[in-house]
Amino acid sequence: MTSQQSFFLLAFAGYLFVMVVISWWVSRWQKSSSDFLLAGRRVPVLLTLGTTVATMVGTGSSMGAVGFAYENAWAGALYGIGGALGILLLAWLFAPARAQNFSTMSEELASYVDNHPLVKKLLALLIYSASIGWLGAHLIGGGMYLSWLTGIEQGQAKLIIGVGLAVYVTIGGYSAVVWTDAIQAVLLFIGFVLMAYFAIDHVGGLSAIGHSELVVDSGFLSVNKIGVMPAISLAIAVLVGVLATPSFRQRIYSAQSVKSVRQSFVISGGLYLLFSVIPALIGISAYLLNAELDNPAFAFPYMALNSLPLLLGGLIILAGLSATLSSASSDAIAGVSVLVDDMYQWLFRNSMPVQQQLLISRVAMLLTVALALSMALLSNDIISYITHMIATVMSGLCVMGLLGRFWHDYTWQGALATLFSSVMAALLVAQQDNWLAWFGNPVIPALCSAMVAGVLVSKFSQKRRGSKAHGAVEQTSS
């Protein structure tokens, strides 16, 4: 390990120490699981804005989107476009859920079908799985950063990231997440803008980018390079990810009011839409400087250390690591909320003792991070990991939320059909190489299958229920 690599490892250790101190400081006011998981439902506009931005500018934007742009030029902006549209739709469609005082996304979705017990249990399992999946994606990204910076093996790097995350989030809970995220959001935006500026200057300006072999003839958002349908699929996958990701719902449930969460989401969406071009610029610049990187995901740290002054580059890299941790911590909290508020009661057949709420929540946090870390150790492809996980697990959740909130005839049988058909469609497309190449990822077939199955089965179950009721009336009258 070189002196520079040792410096980065020590700097990251110092960063984790600061996170632990902040977590300890905010933990002094925690007395219940609501304080630990929802910060007492008192998070103001600025902190909601900060934690939302920090989560969105996370692993996908910093490493995934830059790496995608390294291979596909302006297509790297699709991640930001999809994310911005997703958060704006979330503000418009689902911010009113704050008024219902839900604690988890599974509780919200189950309420749309009269809290049917089978649906509620299935939702808890799926949403907990989705939270672990997102958490795993961020651990992959963080481990790749740390490995590239310090020279340690990727598995060891993921382990360090996972243990560090587990310690500071287990101590401080959601209050620690929102405070650290707010600080990180400022650093991340400043860092990315500076990095884009220096990167453009380093490669000879915007004209050099526009005339590079990666960009020429690639078309708008590089659709000539990756295909129209794969481009649409990627943006939709990210949009669906925001609409159905439990951690974004957590921001709704923990906010001060419907108005405050809407304000923070609208501002976040606007900022993220403006931000979307920055990862693409950085990725294209990285290609111009070195077209032979072993892994496109390393384009971000490569540019940080080769286009910026050393101290500033190191700071940006640490900011990138903090981005993965801020995103990961939010998903960990969302997963633990489901485990504690939804699954505990039907697993142990009784309510959680008040005096043990904090202890049980913290044990659940350690278990959740351990499960996600075990998944992260098996994969290194962030974009593929995210898009396939969204299509398989989250497309059905997205459709169920939309149908349940806006269609009063939605039934619990339709909800089961929605969830089952989305998974089956995603798995089927993933197994067909020709279909997968044409769509880019399985999210569109999964969404369409979920919507059609949900509507048809709901209509059918309504008719059966109606005919049974009519028959009962005839028997009574006779």
Side-chain angles (χ1 to χ4, degrees), residues 221-234:
L221 294 176
S222 297
V223 294
N224 295 340
K225 187 176 181 64
I226 67 172
V228 174
M229 186 56 69
I232 294 172
S233 292
L234 178 57

Side-chain angles (χ1 to χ4, degrees), residues 103-417:
S103 296
T104 65
M105 187 176 175
S106 52
E107 182 184 3
E108 177 193 339
L109 296 185
S111 72
Y112 298 145
V113 290
D114 299 324
N115 291 304
H116 191 277
L118 177 59
V119 175
K120 195 169 185 177
K121 290 177 181 179
L122 180 59
L123 283 171
L125 290 172
L126 283 176
I127 291 174
Y128 185 64
S129 300
S131 298
I132 290 178
W134 280 114
L135 175 54
H138 300 309
L139 293 178
I140 291 171
M144 291 174 74
Y145 270 124
L146 194 60
S147 174
W148 199 89
L149 277 175
T150 62
I152 61 178
E153 194 268 327
Q154 278 197 31
Q156 294 177 339
K158 292 173 187 176
L159 189 61
I160 293 171
I161 295 285
V163 171
L165 171 75
V167 170
Y168 89 80
V169 182
T170 300
I171 293 172
Y174 193 62
S175 297
V177 171
V178 296
W179 276 102
T180 55
D181 279 3
I183 298 169
Q184 290 162 354
V186 176
L187 292 175
L188 285 167
F189 251 86
I190 293 174
F192 265 96
V193 171
L194 285 174
M195 188 172 176
Y197 171 80
F198 279 103
I200 293 169
D201 181 68
H202 205 67
V203 300
L206 289 173
S207 61
I209 290 177
H211 291 92
S212 69
E213 61 175 325
L214 190 65
V215 172
V216 170
D217 298 327
S218 64
F220 178 70
L221 294 176
S222 297
V223 294
N224 295 340
K225 187 176 181 64
I226 67 172
V228 174
M229 186 56 69
I232 294 172
S233 292
L234 178 57
I236 290 177
V238 179
L239 183 153
V240 168
V242 175
L243 286 179
T245 295
S247 63
F248 286 105
R249 286 300 215 284
Q250 204 78 4
R251 284 155 177 77
I252 294 175
Y253 310 145
S254 64
Q256 281 182 331
S257 64
V258 173
K259 181 180 179 181
S260 70
V261 74
R262 268 207 170 122
Q263 288 177 339
S264 64
F265 279 7
V266 168
I267 296 171
S268 299
L271 289 173
Y272 201 53
L273 191 59
L274 294 174
F275 172 84
S276 63
V277 71
I278 292 179
L281 287 169
I282 296 171
I284 297 169
S285 299
Y287 180 85
L288 290 177
L289 288 182
N290 186 350
E292 297 180 356
L293 288 178
D294 292 335
N295 189 334
F298 294 138
F300 178 80
Y302 176 84
M303 288 302 294
L305 297 183
N306 289 276
S307 67
L308 302 177
L310 180 61
L311 185 59
L312 181 58
L315 180 64
I316 299 302
I317 289 293
L318 289 178
L321 276 168
S322 73
T324 65
L325 284 171
S326 68
S327 302
S329 59
S330 298
D331 291 309
I333 287 288
V336 171
S337 295
V338 173
L339 190 59
V340 169
D341 291 330
D342 297 329
M343 298 176 69
Y344 181 94
Q345 188 168 3
W346 59 266
L347 285 173
F348 295 98
R349 306 292 183 183
N350 56 13
S351 300
M352 187 186 305
V354 176
Q355 64 273 19
Q356 295 181 11
Q357 285 184 355
L358 272 178
L359 175 61
I360 293 173
S361 296
R362 286 179 169 136
V363 171
M365 176 62 70
L366 293 173
L367 173 64
T368 300
V369 175
L371 287 173
L373 181 59
S374 65
M375 290 176 60
L377 291 171
L378 302 176
S379 177
N380 288 320
D381 186 346
I382 297 171
I383 290 294
S384 176
Y385 181 103
I386 290 174
T387 54
H388 282 81
M389 189 266 292
I390 289 173
T392 304
V393 179
M394 307 186 72
S395 295
L397 298 177
C398 178
V399 171
M400 185 180 175
L402 292 170
L403 288 176
R405 174 154 169 72
F406 298 103
W407 188 40
H408 296 301
D409 293 333
Y410 196 43
T411 66
W412 69 267
Q413 296 97 330
L416 292 178

